[in-house]
Amino acid sequence: MIGVDWGTTSLRAWRLDQEGSVLDRRASPQGIMTITDRQFEPVLRDIVGDWLADGERHILLCGMIGSRQGWHEVAYLSCPAGIDEIAARLTPVAFAGAAVRIVPGLATIDENGIADIMRGEETQILGAAASDGATRRICLPGTHSKWAAVSAGRIERFSTYMTGEMFAALAQHTILARTTVAGPIDPAAFTAGVARAADTGGLLHHAFGVRTQVLRQGMTEAAAYAYLSGLMIGHELNAALDSVATPVAVVGASALAALYVTAIASRGGVAIAVDEAAGATGLARLGARATWT
């Protein structure tokens, strides 16, 4: 099978064997927003054409490719949802020479009645989720971080935090840009930012303190950048880390995922790193349940 995570700005594809192991992989900057005149089919053929020529006949797509701006809009499936419910809602699209299906995104409602949505992350969650009946928290760091509660392999609910996007906006487009310099993350400054987020005063007050610590308390601009990162992730943890007793699986092999592991541990939580290939695993699990004819 071929599994594809096709997002807004990039595309990742895996060739998978019968057991779901990755045989080959591809990456492309051709996210859905780069595709003109809805030429999704030829772009996909260009990326996986040799795999098709070698006999692959099943392609499973997830991510923003199933959105209104994508190839074919697939309705969200409401949580709680498990792998069987998601597999039952795989939606076919026309593609000569292979059977193509798109994974539905998921939707939930928070405790105050506000909707939340995801597309693509559900496959990573399915790949990372334990099927031993345990209740777990799964964190997917990124521009819009996702936190999901999983029980008995089912995605019960989730929440989204615009942490990465807000960090970039603050560091580049506010007064804080005058006193921060992007670069490698200083671990001590990062951890100090995570700790500061637990203090009273709130995010808006804490954010201005990034500037004043440089101007009045000797913090370097490089340290301020790391401190701001820790501050933003720390405030995310204030909302999302509802129990340090529940292990958190952090999906990804990136430096960002490592920062989340550090931040969770600094709060007394238990963080378990899960390889970013969890998305391929989730697609393989869904593909095994798909109706391809």
Side-chain angles (χ1 to χ4, degrees):
M1 185 189 94
I2 298 170
V4 180
D5 186 342
W6 204 336
T8 303
T9 60
S10 63
L11 175 156
R12 292 185 299 166
W14 300 274
R15 188 178 186 184
L16 307 167
D17 69 12
Q18 294 283 356
E19 285 71 46
S21 298
V22 176
L23 300 174
D24 198 359
R25 64 187 71 207
R26 304 274 163 80
S28 168
Q30 294 173 285
I32 67 162
M33 299 308 291
T34 71
I35 309 301
T36 58
D37 299 323
R38 305 188 62 81
Q39 295 297 298
F40 298 106
E41 180 175 347
V43 170
L44 181 61
R45 287 190 186 278
D46 183 59
I47 292 169
V48 303
D50 58 331
W51 295 346
L52 294 171
D54 201 31
E56 296 295 348
R57 291 295 177 264
H58 298 156
I59 306 175
L60 187 57
L61 309 173
C62 71
M64 292 300 289
I65 192 66
S67 71
R68 189 170 303 174
Q69 294 76 36
W71 192 347
H72 180 83
E73 185 176 8
V74 179
Y76 292 103
L77 177 64
S78 296
C79 288
I83 191 166
D84 290 329
E85 292 98 326
I86 297 172
R89 288 281 296 275
L90 300 180
T91 299
V93 292
F95 188 89
V100 177
R101 305 286 184 268
I102 299 179
V103 180
L106 296 185
T108 191
I109 300 291
D110 72 13
E111 61 271 19
N112 297 305
I114 303 300
D116 206 336
I117 54 175
M118 67 167 63
R119 284 196 189 274
E121 293 92 351
E122 68 285 336
T123 60
Q124 293 176 282
I125 294 168
L126 290 175
S131 58
D132 56 5
T135 298
R136 298 180 183 274
R137 296 282 278 162
I138 297 178
C139 172
L140 297 93
T143 303
H144 300 155
S145 297
K146 303 286 186 182
W147 285 71
V150 177
S151 180
R154 289 170 60 81
I155 303 170
E156 299 291 337
R157 61 189 182 281
F158 61 89
S159 53
T160 306
Y161 301 88
M162 292 178 59
T163 307
E165 188 167 6
M166 292 304 296
F167 169 69
L170 287 170
Q172 299 170 22
H173 303 293
T174 71
I175 192 67
L176 299 184
R178 305 289 183 87
T179 48
T180 58
V181 174
I185 295 295
D186 179 318
F190 174 80
T191 302
V194 175
R196 174 59 171 157
D199 293 342
T200 59
L203 174 59
L204 299 181
H205 173 60
H206 292 170
F208 192 72
V210 177
R211 174 172 170 78
T212 57
Q213 287 188 84
V214 173
L215 297 177
R216 302 287 296 172
Q217 294 179 295
M219 180 179 284
T220 68
E221 294 181 352
Y225 182 81
Y227 179 88
L228 177 61
S229 175
L231 185 66
M232 298 301 296
I233 292 174
H235 275 280
E236 180 181 324
L237 296 187
N238 291 348
L241 191 63
D242 47 10
S243 172
V244 296
T246 301
V248 179
V250 181
V251 179
S254 66
L256 179 60
L259 290 179
Y260 273 75
V261 170
T262 297
I264 293 166
S266 76
R267 289 287 182 88
V270 178
I272 304 163
V274 177
D275 190 85
E276 59 188 349
T281 302
L283 285 165
R285 293 184 65 200
L286 283 168
R289 291 166 171 78
T291 300
W292 291 106
T293 57

